[in-house]
Amino acid sequence: MSSFVDVVLPVPLPGLFTYALPADLAPQAQAGCRVSVPFGTKKTVIGLIARLHDTAPVGIDVKPVAELLDQSPVVLPGQYALWQWMADYYLCTIGEVFKAALPGKLKNTSRPTHSRPTNSRPTNSRPTPNPSRKGGESSGLNEEYIAQPLPSLTGGVGGGSVGGGSVGDWSAAGSSSLPTLSPAQSTALSQIQDSWRQHPVCLLHGVTSSGKTELYIHLIAEAMARGEQVLFLLPEIVLTSQLTDRLRAVFGPRLGVYHSKFSDRQRADVWQRQLSTTPYDIIVGVRSSVFLPFQRLGLVIVDEEHEVNFKQQDPAPRYNARNVAIVMAARSGARTLLGTATPALESYYNARTGKYGLVTLGERYGGVRLPAIAVIDISEQRRKRLMNGLLSQPLVDAIHEALDNGEQVILFQNRRGYAPQVQCHVCGWVPRCPHCDVALTLHKRSGRMTCHYCGYTTDIPARCPACETPDLRGHGFGTERIEDDIARLFTDARVARMDLDTTRTRTAYEQIIDDFAAHRTDILVGTQMVTKGLDFEQVSVVGILSADTMLHQPDFRAFERSFQMMSQVAGRAGRRQRRGRVFLQTMDAQLPLIRQIVDGDYDAMYVSQMLERRDFGYPPFTRFIIVYLKHRSASTVDALSREATLLLRQHFGTRVLGPDEPPVSRIQSLYVRRIIIKLEPAIPLPRARQLLTDVRATLLAQRLYSAAHIYFDVDPL
Ligand code: ADP
Ligand code: ZN
Ligand code: ZN
């Protein structure tokens, strides 16, 4: 029996923490079980046993484990190995991954789920020396995991009733059976299966409404018939309800849903169920579902694989769930299918260069034609005085026509709120967030202004604080203002707005979608939320109110993103019998990209963007790692970023770009600087990562910088 455990704690400190294992707990303790332990000033913190051993740390008294919270592991060996990979790759600590991975209920509770045997000593009667910190992760950890029996699983892995059955066996679970595929869909299906014989990852490039979801359903059914589990990843919670309805109709209760709008308890229940002998066969979820335990993962589907939402921005781990899912599948010997109408350039590049398989589905189901996209030159409309607020005359006419025919309309504006900002029309004063370097956004419904970075909210001042002018006005436009224009122009239409502000709760967005699907509303106004894989039958007109806000973002991916977003939102039009109409309003009608969108010519967009990426050395030809530096003092962060740049140049030479101020250079009272490291494919990543962590440690060791934050964003989006 071991007398020590090395524990992962949910803290941003590297390494594992050693604690003594009281003799009464030793018989039950296993790698993958949670413990509560004293840590720092906290009485107890919940951690995860990574390793049991008998090597007493030299020269330090270790604190004892307070409670053992599990009788059997809640984290499986493969899961833990993946977390380690994430910590390495994304340059964070295993503790940060652990913190992000476990549902709150499993990591916050101070109440043990299994009480300690009665002969336990009260923990506060023990001496409390500091726990010793191990320098690095124990290399023996995986072996340790493998050596541990996993009693809770023995029934589940081999003894389940699934496996070997025919497709018909499980369909009974749901109420409807598998759809009959069209000839084009059947061909695509067998191409995907063929492709998997050579490549573990296949990219399905299928136009909007081609029936990708129907293909997924067939592939899921096959995987289940082989006794495999399926992970179905979606970029956005909004999409889960429509999709789960479709999948539930076929797979019934064998499907579990996992995302952050569910309560902690529900998520903890899904987690526990995945460990049981009767886990869900299919998990539908957003990015955090890559952390779940799977016992026999056979298929991973990533729908809308191009979506930026798969990347977690803050806090660490700053991971891309699509990429983690691919690694996860590879480690379990599972296949991966990436599906989209508008692939990420990186994925398409991987497919074209033979790293992934590629299957194309070029026609819509039922022979419906792709929508006709009309480009509307806003400046011309203005000159001719044909703009009705934010809507051009052709769009207004089309909306009238659609409403008269009992059809529905989607209007897309890539900005929420009433206006991006309030501005004094006399002196130009703009209210800004006191904590962040951004203008506040006006929300007319609430009559207040909000910072979209930190949530700071305040009333609109009655007078301009700079020049005393009354009547401060909104500048530019967002979704709220469009809603107003519509109410004025189409007095009888029922309008709904879908953006972050109206979808804070799960029921709120489900209600908006349900209402629109049931045609209780006629016009849906929204941000990029409305661009995603939603399927509504009666939408005949889509309006893109301003392509320009997207096109002119200061980001080398702006054109790729614009193509994706506009093609996706256009794809919401005319998904059934009739050909839909799309009105794309822009000041830049001659731009080649606009032509590519109108023609639905992804390949042309790909070729022109890739030429640019190659010339400038951008991904996928290089790999970016951004070093973020933050401090309360602007002068300190400047000094720090200069010194960091010098140090990094010693190792990386001209691959270091910066330092610069990001577009928002102060967030939550911290000044931000960043340095970009641009690595060509030949650079060995492990070495680069080691150098980066060393530089960070060197900087943080200086007293001047001890309060600074330095972190990395690997493969930023
Ligand atoms: P995508 O995911 O490619 O956008 P969907 O799977 O949502 O496309 O398909 C578009 C519409 O066509 C959906 O309403 C879907 O039910 C219908 N559809 C697609 N394929 C079939 C099929 N083989 N049989 C019946 N309906 C289908
Ligand atoms: Zn003023
Ligand atoms: Zn703010």
Side-chain angles (χ1 to χ4, degrees):
M1 252 185 281
S2 306
S3 32
F4 297 97
V5 284
D6 292 346
V7 175
V8 181
L9 293 180
V11 294
L13 298 167
L16 302 171
F17 300 82
T18 303
Y19 289 87
L21 188 60
D24 56 334
L25 299 181
Q28 291 95 30
Q30 296 176 53
C33 291
R34 292 168 308 141
V35 285
S36 74
V37 294
F39 181 72
T41 54
K42 295 220 176 68
K43 256 234 216 59
T44 56
V45 173
I46 291 184
L48 187 77
I49 302 180
R51 200 170 94 90
L52 296 95
H53 59 92
D54 282 311
T55 321
V58 184
I60 328 161
D61 277 335
V62 291
K63 288 187 187 178
V65 166
E67 302 280 353
L68 177 66
L69 301 176
D70 302 302
Q71 304 280 302
S72 58
V74 295
V75 175
L76 304 179
Q79 239 179 318
Y80 189 83
L82 182 72
W83 296 1
Q84 273 192 310
W85 176 85
M86 288 177 76
D88 283 349
Y89 186 87
Y90 291 106
L91 290 164
C92 64
T93 69
I94 185 78
E96 288 170 314
V97 181
F98 168 68
K99 190 171 176 195
L102 236 61
K105 190 166 176 290
L106 291 178
K107 72 182 178 229
N108 295 336
T109 176
S110 54
R111 224 169 357 99
T113 49
H114 302 282
S115 54
R116 199 178 164 191
T118 44
N119 61 349
S120 66
R121 283 147 294 206
T123 50
N124 57 7
S125 71
R126 297 203 156 208
T128 53
N130 285 328
S132 80
R133 231 171 87 201
K134 289 221 153 179
E137 313 260 307
S138 156
S139 57
L141 193 124
N142 287 336
E143 289 87 310
E144 178 70 23
Y145 254 117
I146 289 159
Q148 291 291 327
L150 299 171
S152 71
L153 304 182
T154 42
V157 178
S161 58
V162 283
S166 75
V167 167
D169 287 352
W170 51 265
S171 313
S175 54
S176 74
S177 55
L178 285 185
T180 312
L181 296 181
S182 70
Q185 289 172 341
S186 301
T187 308
L189 185 70
S190 47
Q191 285 173 340
I192 293 168
Q193 289 153 336
D194 287 348
S195 137
W196 277 334
R197 293 197 186 98
Q198 277 127 50
H199 309 277
V201 183
C202 177
L203 174 65
L204 170 62
H205 181 199
V207 297
T208 53
S209 210
S210 55
K212 293 185 289 297
T213 315
E214 308 294 340
L215 288 184
Y216 302 152
I217 290 173
H218 275 260
L219 293 165
I220 292 169
E222 283 171 9
M224 280 170 61
R226 288 191 297 266
E228 298 166 356
Q229 285 178 299
V230 180
L231 170 61
F232 193 122
L233 272 185
L234 283 164
E236 186 130 29
I237 296 168
V238 179
L239 296 178
T240 54
S241 45
Q242 246 200 7
L243 184 95
T244 38
D245 287 351
R246 275 172 85 174
L247 295 184
R248 272 234 169 82
V250 185
F251 302 109
R254 302 178 70 168
L255 174 109
V257 182
Y258 192 74
H259 60 60
S260 59
K261 289 257 162 84
F262 281 140
S263 69
D264 256 357
R265 163 166 286 283
Q266 285 169 311
R267 286 191 294 153
D269 285 350
V270 172
W271 189 290
Q272 295 288 6
R273 170 115 184 231
Q274 291 310 88
L275 293 165
S276 75
T277 52
T278 53
Y280 288 113
D281 294 303
I282 316 163
I283 291 284
V284 174
V286 294
R287 60 177 180 244
S288 59
S289 30
V290 298
F291 294 120
L292 279 171
F294 286 89
Q295 302 177 40
R296 41 190 168 79
L297 186 66
L299 172 64
V300 172
I301 295 173
V302 184
D303 194 19
E304 311 290 350
E305 67 83 28
H306 63 281
E307 279 291 340
V308 178
N309 278 1
F310 281 123
K311 171 84 180 176
Q312 166 140 324
Q313 298 298 347
D314 274 309
R318 297 176 176 80
Y319 65 106
N320 185 318
R322 176 197 62 205
N323 298 349
V324 172
I326 291 171
V327 171
M328 179 181 179
R331 286 169 165 269
S332 333
R335 305 164 189 78
T336 305
L337 183 66
L338 309 178
T340 176
T342 52
L345 286 201
E346 283 83 351
S347 301
Y348 205 61
Y349 177 71
N350 282 335
R352 296 265 296 236
T353 54
K355 191 171 168 195
Y356 298 167
L358 176 63
V359 172
T360 307
L361 192 51
E363 62 182 57
R364 288 187 145 187
Y365 177 73
V368 179
R369 290 163 74 200
L370 281 165
I373 303 180
V375 179
I376 312 290
D377 185 335
I378 300 182
S379 23
E380 189 191 303
Q381 290 277 310
R382 286 235 170 87
R383 259 199 323 277
K384 297 183 178 163
R385 302 196 173 280
L386 290 175
M387 289 300 282
N388 303 265
L390 305 163
L391 310 181
S392 63
Q393 196 55 48
L395 177 56
V396 171
D397 294 343
I399 296 174
H400 274 302
E401 204 181 302
L403 295 175
D404 289 348
N405 292 337
E407 295 160 350
Q408 290 173 293
V409 175
I410 290 179
L411 297 178
F412 166 58
Q413 174 58 31
N414 194 21
R415 242 178 196 157
R416 64 191 164 108
Y418 189 73
Q421 53 183 239
V422 170
Q423 189 170 27
C424 172
H425 57 105
V426 174
C427 75
W429 177 83
V430 171
R432 305 184 78 82
C433 175
H435 313 293
C436 312
D437 174 34
V438 285
L440 297 174
T441 299
L442 169 63
H443 287 249
K444 203 184 116 199
R445 299 283 174 276
S446 62
R448 313 192 78 195
M449 304 179 298
T450 298
C451 168
H452 281 183
Y453 282 85
C454 73
Y456 169 84
T457 299
T458 185
D459 290 323
I460 302 166
R463 290 172 175 277
C464 169
C467 74
E468 304 266 293
T469 305
D471 183 26
L472 294 174
R473 288 180 199 172
H475 201 75
F477 56 90
T479 40
E480 275 191 17
R481 179 152 159 218
I482 295 159
E483 213 183 351
D484 283 358
D485 282 351
I486 295 186
R488 196 164 39 76
L489 289 163
F490 312 99
T491 38
D492 295 336
R494 296 160 298 175
V495 186
R497 176 163 61 91
M498 183 155 89
D499 57 28
L500 263 185
D501 298 318
T502 61
T503 55
R504 300 234 180 256
T505 67
R506 195 173 102 225
T507 42
Y509 65 72
E510 279 178 357
Q511 192 62 51
I512 294 172
I513 290 170
D514 286 354
D515 285 348
F516 197 63
H519 206 148
R520 284 188 292 269
T521 44
D522 305 303
I523 303 179
L524 181 61
V525 178
T527 55
Q528 52 264 53
M529 276 188 186
V530 301
T531 67
K532 319 252 162 97
L534 295 169
D535 183 35
F536 300 112
E537 274 183 50
Q538 299 180 46
V539 174
S540 63
V541 171
V542 165
I544 297 168
L545 298 185
S546 169
D548 309 306
T549 49
M550 280 174 272
L551 291 169
H552 301 305
Q553 306 232 327
D555 180 335
F556 69 87
R557 289 189 173 89
F559 277 23
E560 177 193 356
R561 296 259 167 78
S562 301
F563 183 96
Q564 289 162 340
M565 260 191 226
M566 291 192 251
S567 310
Q568 291 283 348
V569 72
R572 302 311 115 210
R575 289 172 70 86
R576 294 298 188 281
Q577 300 79 16
R578 271 202 337 126
R579 191 178 192 199
R581 287 195 290 165
V582 177
F583 295 83
L584 193 168
Q585 302 189 157
T586 176
M587 308 274 266
D588 226 340
Q590 301 313 317
L591 206 66
L593 187 83
I594 299 287
R595 187 80 258 145
Q596 292 157 5
I597 293 168
V598 169
D599 296 344
D601 195 345
Y602 179 88
D603 281 12
M605 186 278 291
Y606 173 78
V607 168
S608 61
Q609 291 307 302
M610 289 298 274
L611 286 175
E612 214 168 275
R613 301 268 180 107
R614 199 190 53 196
D615 288 350
F616 289 98
Y618 290 147
F621 297 101
T622 56
R623 179 186 297 278
F624 277 17
I625 298 176
I626 300 182
V627 186
Y628 278 95
L629 309 130
K630 294 186 177 178
H631 200 276
R632 280 189 177 275
S633 145
S635 57
T636 307
V637 85
D638 279 330
L640 171 64
S641 56
R642 276 194 301 272
E643 205 168 326
T645 308
L646 285 178
L647 273 178
L648 289 166
R649 287 235 162 87
Q650 288 173 11
H651 300 297
F652 294 99
T654 55
R655 298 179 188 89
V656 180
L657 311 178
D660 80 340
E661 293 188 16
V664 178
S665 65
R666 187 168 174 239
I667 297 179
Q668 294 176 0
S669 300
L670 293 176
Y671 290 90
V672 191
R673 300 291 180 268
R674 61 180 183 188
I675 299 166
I676 296 176
I677 317 286
K678 202 172 167 181
L679 301 171
E680 66 272 24
I683 300 287
L685 271 182
R687 174 88 187 117
R689 288 196 291 257
Q690 189 57 53
L691 290 171
L692 288 170
T693 4
D694 290 351
V695 166
R696 171 171 59 187
T698 307
L699 291 165
L700 291 179
Q702 300 184 36
R703 189 184 301 149
L704 179 60
Y705 304 137
S706 58
H709 302 251
I710 303 177
Y711 61 82
F712 305 102
D713 187 359
V714 179
D715 302 335
L717 281 182

